[in-house]
Amino acid sequence: QVQFVESGGALVKPGGSLRLSCEASGFAFNKNDMSWYRQAPGKGRELVAGISADSFGRNFADFAHGRFTISRWNDNNTVHLQMDALKPDDTGTYFCNAGYYRPTFGDDWGKGTQVTVSS
C-alpha cells in the first residue's frame, strides 16, 4: 500500500536550518510529482512546496520562496525539503505526499515530522 515516512524534524532556533526527508513506497515514485505540506497547531494542512517527477518543475508557497528548497532522488524514492532562515511561524508537523499542488493520495498520510522553531 501507499506509505510515506517523514523524518528530520527537530527543535531549532529562529534563523536555523533543517533538512527534512520523506521515503515513499507503494506507487510509481519516479512517475509522480511530489510535495510537502505542513500543519500548524489548530490549523489546516497547507502546501509548502512541490516538485515534478523529472525535477524540472518546482512550486513554492509564498512563505517558502527564497528560504526553502525541494529536491528528490528517484533512485531511492526520497524527497527532501531544505529549510533555511526558519521562523517561529514555520512550527508545525510536516508531511509529504504525491502530487504537485494537491495530494494525490489524500487518504494516505504518514505520521509526519515535527518542526519546532523557538528560542
Side-chain angles (χ1 to χ4, degrees):
Q1 74 271 26
V2 173
Q3 283 190 320
F4 302 100
V5 180
E6 299 91 351
S7 63
L11 170 64
V12 63
K13 293 182 178 180
S17 297
L18 282 176
R19 185 173 187 259
L20 307 184
S21 297
C22 167
E23 191 169 339
S25 61
F27 63 98
F29 182 87
N30 62 346
K31 294 182 180 180
N32 276 268
D33 302 335
M34 292 294 296
S35 45
W36 282 94
Y37 301 82
R38 72 183 187 185
Q39 187 166 18
K43 295 187 177 181
R45 196 170 288 163
E46 61 180 347
L47 176 70
V48 177
I51 185 169
S52 62
D54 60 8
S55 296
F56 283 112
R58 290 171 170 83
N59 75 85
F60 296 92
D62 288 346
F63 62 78
H65 267 290
R67 299 190 300 129
F68 294 2
T69 304
I70 187 170
S71 59
R72 65 187 292 162
W73 294 98
N74 286 348
D75 287 348
N76 59 7
N77 289 12
T78 57
V79 59
H80 304 281
L81 185 69
Q82 174 68 38
M83 305 188 296
D84 299 318
L86 283 162
K87 305 174 182 179
D89 284 350
D90 295 319
T91 294
T93 305
Y94 285 68
F95 304 86
C96 69
N97 207 300
Y100 197 65
Y101 290 114
R102 56 184 59 87
T104 299
F105 303 108
D107 292 332
D108 297 295
W109 293 94
K111 294 181 180 180
T113 187
Q114 178 65 37
V115 172
T116 303
V117 185
S118 175
S119 54

